[in-house]
Amino acid sequence: MSEDPWPPRALDDRALDGRAPHDPHDPEAPQARKVPELDAPPTSAPGGVTLIIPTFNEADNVGELLRRLTASLPADPPCEVLFVDDSTDDTPTVIEKAAADCPFPVAVLHRERAVGGLGGAVVEGITRADSDWIVVMDADLQHPPHLVPELVGEGTRTGADLVVASRYLPGGSRAGLAGGYRVAVSRAATWLTKGLFPRALRGISDPMSGFFAMRRGAVTAEALRPLGYKILLELAVRCRPKRIAEVPFVFQDRHAGASKSTPREGLRFLTHLAALRTATPLARMIGFGLIGLTGFVPNLAALWLLTHAGVQYLAAEVLANQAGVLWNFLLIETLLFRDRRRHRHWADRLGRFALLANADLLLRIPLIALFVGRLGMDVLPATALALVTTFVLRFVATEALVYLPRGPRAATTPRS
Ligand code: GDD
Ligand code: MN
């Protein structure tokens, strides 16, 4: 099935099959199956609200959730509920039964493959919603249903594009976050994220929140490449909503069942942060340079090992350089170009990457000779200039020759 057994794929989704994390316009993307009985027409009335609720094995929660939503949602603005479900249990059937008692339309989109995880499910829901407002909330009642009208009301009142339910405002709290460890992790993740995206997250005290309302018109679904849990972060950074408001909320205890969050989800979050932070060419080039610097460590370690094993030092230099190249390749694949890997087979990418990295060394010497001999530069500035020149050349060449689509034909037949 897969042509790409390369290790970074372990960070991918359960069923990514080597594709980009999410592409709603990919004709080969897994087709979601709608539960026919629940197939509801989208709400397009002015001020209408689509509640998008991702579910993964929440059979013991969805009945109570729909009951509480029934008690909380007003008739006006009109609301509809769209579950985007990746369950392996009978959650869709339970929803179907409970929906019969609901005064608002309820639909379930069951996905055979959990592409993009929680975030992918939400984007899948967004592409199907054409109400004025989208509200995203969890199915386990940690997000109080009675706040849904307040979130939309706050947006309408203030003209905001995004209204975030925040645990960090006066009146809000993290009561339901199980244990000191999770509180610490959540706080560290919040600081890190706000530090990395000070502008995009200005006005958002709780970028880790999974409970928010957003105007449909402020979302560009095509721009979204979610990866795991942090869909609000994805929306705030890639769609840059102009006006942002917040409403305090108390994060409740889970109603039933256990959190689906795993340590792997933490790794995915870091990958997601890196992908978001390196979305512009300049940021990517800086990332490329920083990764290149870290490559000195395996390079020197390999050099030490090889020379101690008795390998002649020049041969050892050449071999050790390959350790650095491999290290850089792995990091660049995972952190910088993870959604551009599909245009070429991994062996092809590695071969090209290694070729460029070694060509960089070969090019540096004649360049230094040129700078010194022809331009009369001193050796040190000439070396520095040659380093910078070959670095920029290598970055541009890597992007163009390793990670860009090959042409129209290749772009329509993505490989891993
Ligand atoms: N469709 C789908 N696919 N839904 C999923 C998946 C998935 O792969 N994984 C989780 N979900 C659903 C769950 O069924 C639940 O409705 C919601 O997403 C949140 O999952 P939980 O497992 O309850 O997450 P949590 O309580 O650990 O995390 C929550 O709190 C965080 C803040 O601390 C979520 O709201 C996060 O978004 C939020 O960042
Ligand atoms: Mn939860």
Side-chain angles (χ1 to χ4, degrees):
M1 178 179 77
S2 157
E3 306 159 30
D4 193 350
W6 196 250
R9 284 206 55 215
L11 295 171
D12 285 355
D13 284 287
R14 270 172 261 165
L16 260 189
D17 203 11
R19 252 186 223 114
H22 176 80
D23 185 355
H25 305 291
D26 181 355
E28 289 181 46
Q31 284 308 301
R33 174 175 63 83
K34 266 200 167 181
V35 174
E37 297 88 319
L38 301 178
D39 204 355
T43 311
S44 44
V49 179
T50 300
L51 257 99
I52 297 174
I53 308 181
T55 45
F56 181 59
N57 296 348
E58 302 288 4
D60 294 335
N61 288 317
V62 285
E64 181 60 20
L65 173 68
L66 283 175
R67 266 189 296 284
R68 290 206 210 160
L69 282 172
T70 300
S72 310
L73 296 184
D76 186 44
C79 298
E80 63 167 4
V81 177
L82 174 56
F83 287 94
V84 186
D85 179 70
D86 293 321
S87 297
T88 48
D89 70 356
D90 59 344
T91 301
T93 325
V94 178
I95 295 172
E96 205 173 320
K97 286 206 187 96
D101 301 326
C102 292
F104 42 78
V106 177
V108 181
L109 204 61
H110 177 76
R111 307 194 301 166
E112 292 305 331
R113 298 197 309 155
V115 182
L118 166 50
V122 171
V123 173
E124 199 80 56
I126 291 175
T127 58
R128 278 158 173 89
D130 66 354
S131 318
D132 280 4
W133 284 94
I134 286 161
V135 173
V136 176
M137 72 186 296
D138 293 351
D140 56 1
L141 291 155
Q142 292 195 280
H143 298 155
H146 71 263
L147 277 182
V148 172
E150 201 177 318
L151 286 178
V152 177
E154 182 71 11
T156 312
R157 239 188 337 274
T158 59
D161 296 315
L162 170 68
V163 185
V164 179
S166 167
R167 297 164 290 182
Y168 301 116
L169 288 186
S173 93
R174 296 173 308 251
L177 210 54
Y181 169 73
R182 282 214 57 184
V183 171
V185 168
S186 175
R187 174 163 294 168
T190 305
W191 282 342
L192 174 66
T193 310
K194 294 221 14 137
L196 282 173
F197 303 98
R199 250 180 307 160
L201 299 180
R202 187 178 299 152
I204 303 182
S205 59
D206 193 355
M208 304 292 119
S209 176
F211 191 20
F212 56 90
M214 193 154 171
R215 283 185 203 268
R216 179 65 184 86
V219 184
T220 335
E222 306 74 45
L224 299 173
R225 292 280 178 276
L227 187 62
Y229 267 47
K230 302 304 168 193
I231 182 62
L232 171 61
L233 174 65
E234 174 77 18
L235 281 164
V237 172
R238 295 220 209 254
C239 300
R240 302 283 169 128
K242 285 200 187 62
R243 281 148 302 174
I244 298 173
E246 288 195 308
V247 164
F249 92 108
V250 178
F251 192 65
Q252 306 290 324
D253 284 328
R254 217 174 204 282
H255 179 66
S259 167
K260 310 303 184 299
S261 175
T262 56
R264 206 181 108 185
E265 204 55 60
L267 209 57
R268 239 182 179 188
F269 167 61
L270 294 178
T271 313
H272 188 198
L273 279 183
L276 281 175
R277 190 57 283 180
T278 55
T280 62
L282 180 64
R284 255 200 315 279
M285 191 157 90
I286 293 171
F288 192 80
L290 290 176
I291 289 173
L293 284 180
T294 68
F296 283 123
V297 177
N299 191 330
L300 292 178
L303 189 65
W304 186 86
L305 278 176
L306 289 167
T307 45
H308 277 74
V311 180
Q312 195 265 344
Y313 83 99
L314 278 180
E317 289 280 2
V318 174
L319 285 174
N321 193 52
Q322 308 315 310
V325 169
L326 190 63
W327 166 274
N328 289 347
F329 178 71
L330 284 174
L331 285 184
I332 277 161
E333 287 265 298
T334 332
L335 299 177
L336 276 191
F337 293 109
R338 71 180 309 286
D339 55 1
R340 300 213 207 167
R341 300 191 306 221
R342 62 189 179 284
H343 310 301
R344 290 177 193 281
H345 191 272
W346 70 262
D348 187 5
R349 298 195 303 270
L350 176 60
R352 284 164 175 263
F353 185 87
L355 213 65
L356 287 172
N358 286 295
D360 175 27
L361 279 183
L362 290 182
L363 181 64
R364 218 177 292 157
I365 305 300
L367 257 187
I368 294 171
L370 180 82
F371 292 157
V372 175
R374 286 284 169 91
L375 306 182
M377 289 175 76
D378 283 338
V379 173
L380 267 181
T383 307
L385 186 62
L387 268 171
V388 172
T389 312
T390 54
F391 166 75
V392 173
L393 281 178
R394 184 151 67 93
F395 171 71
V396 173
T398 302
E399 188 148 274
L401 301 177
V402 186
Y403 294 104
L404 281 190
R406 275 179 276 199
R409 204 192 62 81
T412 55
T413 50
R415 333 178 41 165
S416 164

